Amino acid sequence: MAGSTRTGLRMAALACVALLAASCGSDSGSTGSTGGTGAAPALEGRGDITLVTGKDTSNNMQRLTDEWNNAHPTEKVRIVELPESADAQRQQLVQNAQVKSDAYTILTLDVVWTAEFAANRWAIELPRDQFGLENFLKPAVETGEYRGKLYAVPVYSDAGLLFYRKDLLDKVGLTAPKTWDELTAACQKVKALPEGANMSCYTGQFEKYEGLTVNFDEAVHTAGGAIVNEAGQPTVDTPQAKAGLDKLVEGFKNGTFPQKAITFKEEDGRRSFQAGELIFMRQWPYQWALANKTDGSSQVAGKFDVAPLPGVGAGPGAASLGGHNFAISAFAKNKATALDFIKYFTTDAAERSNLLATSQAPTRANLYDDPELVKQFPYLPTLKEAIMAAKPRPKAVRYGDVTTAIQEAAYGAITGAKDSGTALKELQTKLQDLLK
Ligand code: GLC
């Protein structure tokens, strides 16, 4: 696999050179129509810019940016890395916008922040017809829209998947569990093996941050509920939402989740899975490439596979729709350069190279059906299905307050500080106010 990754990267790099030549034209920074919602404002100014992002865990963002910089010596892009946690990233982006700073040009927005950045006019409207969005996954495109206009272009999509130790399940004659009951039964069997005795069954992301909002959202949907209904009104004081939250509460109580998972963000869980401590893990696809590394950083390379998240009862599990989009700060100079860079970064070639290097979910639909890519990343069809069926988190201008309220309720319940019924009643009241 490592050999074919290198070949793939070389091919993608060659394609990028061709692509850079094509994107060097000077007309691409002009305005475009917005598909019936009036013309987007002109994007003017060329010169150096910044690209603000969370952690570039694979260094591929830097690699693609270096290629751009070599081809655009007067329009260089400098990457600014923010902290690992989504909430800390949002905080810095919001603070920067509130003081109208021009330090950040391209903003990597989590899919749940579009409404806030658009409504506050911190991100500008983008010319919808200039990105070939018809070739992108529809749910991903929708995350970049606010009131019918486009404010952010999908760069990475994301959906939760069940990572599992296929080698150990094979040993006990089982395939990937489709339900929570099957999952816990499988753990018992694996733990009866000598190599399974010290392993933990399952983890997700349970620290008090955006990842917990995601895990709560998935648990609620998996139990047949929703945080908000189709009209955007909160529906968390329901038996379904309680059944979902109780799955997480029980997981900690009955030892299905290791106690230390209460402190886990994505990277903590990934390290634990890679150290061979976990049988199952709810994680984003970026883990695939890292956990398959054969440089000694992973004990589980080639030993795991992925499946859709398990359901409760006969129903399927539900993934929360994640991902990141590029927006342009309203306060930035050199917006024309920013627009060109966004186009460059979302071409077929760039997304292909990114998938090969990072295993992050592309936003271009055709890559999921490409036979060469599917050979290398056999989970792509499962991931596409998960994304197409994924549930969005609430769309809210006050998303920061919404997610804090959710985190407080969920964390209170899983730590045993509050019973789940009370936590959800209080959450319902808070959300009714915040989502008015
Ligand atoms: C991933 C997802 C993002 C989500 C975050 C939570 O980065 O892509 O949408 O908010 O995880 O930790």
Side-chain angles (χ1 to χ4, degrees), residues 20 40 67 125 162 172 214 239 277 285 302 334 338 366 403 406 418:
L20 277 165
E67 287 190 17
E125 186 191 347
L162 183 70
V172 295
V214 168
E277 295 171 358
N334 302 331
N366 64 304
T403 190
I406 295 171
K418 252 187 198 158

Side-chain angles (χ1 to χ4, degrees), residues 86 110-111 158 209-211 214 266 284 322-324 393:
D110 196 311
V111 290
D158 238 348
Y209 80 115
E210 187 63 32
V214 168
E266 282 83 357
W284 308 102
H324 290 87
R393 280 161 273 167

Side-chain angles (χ1 to χ4, degrees), residues 84-87 89 109-113 156-159 205 209-215 265-266 282-284 286 320-324 360 393 399:
E84 181 196 327
S85 132
D87 309 60
Q89 291 166 23
L109 296 187
D110 196 311
V111 290
V112 280
W113 303 336
Y156 312 108
S157 190
D158 238 348
Q205 294 76 40
Y209 80 115
E210 187 63 32
L212 179 58
T213 299
V214 168
N215 281 259
K265 298 202 282 288
E266 282 83 357
R282 178 261 170 236
Q283 182 62 291
W284 308 102
Y286 85 102
S320 190
L321 182 62
H324 290 87
Q360 276 175 301
R393 280 161 273 167
Y399 188 78

Side-chain angles (χ1 to χ4, degrees), residues 111 135-144 154-162 217-218 221 282-286 306-309 316-325 351 355 359-369 377 379-393:
V111 290
N135 300 316
F136 286 57
L137 298 170
K138 201 162 170 273
V141 174
E142 285 168 1
T143 66
V155 179
Y156 312 108
S157 190
D158 238 348
L161 295 171
L162 183 70
D217 183 50
E218 286 174 347
H221 275 114
R282 178 261 170 236
Q283 182 62 291
W284 308 102
Y286 85 102
V306 298
L309 295 177
S320 190
L321 182 62
H324 290 87
N325 306 333
E351 290 217 1
L355 168 62
S359 76
Q360 276 175 301
T363 50
R364 285 189 170 261
N366 64 304
L367 298 179
Y368 290 84
D369 308 321
F377 301 104
Y379 64 86
L380 281 176
T382 306
L383 176 58
K384 187 180 181 185
E385 262 180 54
I387 292 173
M388 297 308 287
K391 312 288 183 193
R393 280 161 273 167

Side-chain angles (χ1 to χ4, degrees), residues 235-247:
T235 50
V236 287
D237 188 12
T238 60
Q240 293 87 343
K242 185 166 179 321
L245 179 55
D246 283 343
K247 274 265 156 243

Side-chain angles (χ1 to χ4, degrees), residues 5 8-13 15-16 19 51 53 55-65 67 79 108 154-158 285-290 324 326 341 344-364 367-368 373 376-377 379-380:
T5 304
L9 272 173
R10 263 199 306 275
M11 282 168 56
C16 281
L19 158 91
L51 163 60
T53 173
K55 290 270 169 259
D56 179 16
T57 44
S58 70
N59 217 32
N60 199 54
M61 196 175 237
Q62 186 63 58
R63 201 185 62 76
L64 284 172
T65 302
E67 287 190 17
I79 292 181
T108 307
V155 179
Y156 312 108
S157 190
D158 238 348
Y286 85 102
Q287 172 156 320
W288 175 278
L290 296 168
H324 290 87
F326 280 171
F341 184 83
Y344 157 70
F345 211 87
T346 49
T347 52
D348 190 284
E351 290 217 1
R352 188 176 290 263
S353 121
N354 203 58
L355 168 62
L356 289 167
T358 70
S359 76
Q360 276 175 301
T363 50
R364 285 189 170 261
L367 298 179
Y368 290 84
L373 293 174
Q376 198 165 333
F377 301 104
Y379 64 86
L380 281 176

